[in-house]
Amino acid sequence: MELTVYLAGEIHSDWRKQLKEKAEAKNLPLRFVGPMENHDRSDLIGEEILGPQPNPIYRDEAASSINNLRTQILMQKADVVIALFGEKYKQWNTAMDASAAAALGKPLILIRPASLHHPLKELSRKANVTVETIDQALDVLSYVFEE
């Protein structure tokens, strides 16, 4: 059995690379999907496809429509969603993706530091499991495969 894991979270750090390397080291049968990690491509995809937009608001809306379509398709095909909240970046997209996963009934693992317990308390209660580290999230998935 292989699980498809949607990795929701900021795209500015290498947390996905770390998680994938650790999953491979544990020999977990996981396939990973997620948002476009090329920030410029993500921001400009609307204009790339639809042409120049009249102002930055329309440019953002055009890109958001296409990025939301991508997220919806990939998340619906995923078996589980891991949403990582860090302390460095604003996490609106992560919150939106985690909420969408909960609304879709997707199993959801939330990774967040203890310092974000209070601001994420409601979302943590919607998640199946809330952990503080990538390693703990992978331990949860590893447990799924135990016989």
Side-chain angles (χ1 to χ4, degrees):
M1 168 178 70
E2 178 182 79
L3 295 178
T4 298
V5 182
Y6 186 93
L7 299 176
E10 53 89 4
I11 62 171
H12 304 288
S13 70
D14 70 345
W15 75 271
R16 284 180 181 81
K17 180 179 180 233
Q18 292 175 36
L19 188 142
K20 290 173 186 178
E21 288 172 354
K22 290 178 177 195
E24 186 175 334
K26 288 179 171 276
N27 206 25
L28 294 175
L30 304 174
R31 180 177 165 268
F32 298 101
V33 296
M36 171 56 64
E37 293 182 55
N38 179 328
H39 193 255
D40 289 337
R41 179 138 172 85
S42 174
D43 281 352
L44 300 175
I45 191 65
E47 287 190 321
E48 286 180 27
I49 293 173
L50 302 172
Q53 299 299 302
N55 63 47
I57 292 172
Y58 284 101
R59 184 186 68 215
D60 284 349
E61 288 180 0
S64 293
S65 295
I66 296 165
N67 284 314
N68 284 338
L69 176 71
R70 175 192 170 102
T71 298
Q72 184 176 359
I73 291 169
L74 294 177
M75 193 177 289
Q76 284 180 347
K77 292 182 175 287
D79 298 302
V80 62
V81 174
I82 294 177
L84 179 129
F85 287 87
E87 296 189 59
K88 186 173 180 183
Y89 299 100
K90 302 290 185 207
Q91 304 295 310
W92 297 298
N93 287 351
T94 309
M96 184 184 73
D97 287 351
S99 297
L104 288 169
K106 293 290 178 177
L108 174 62
I109 300 171
L110 215 63
I111 304 172
R112 56 109 183 102
S115 62
L116 293 179
H117 164 76
H118 182 74
L120 293 173
K121 64 186 177 298
E122 284 84 6
L123 192 52
S124 288
R125 297 295 294 162
K126 296 284 186 185
N128 296 86
V129 178
T130 298
V131 298
E132 293 182 6
T133 68
I134 289 170
D135 290 315
Q136 290 172 333
L138 288 174
D139 287 345
V140 169
L141 290 179
S142 183
Y143 181 71
V144 171
F145 294 102
E146 284 185 26
E147 294 183 15

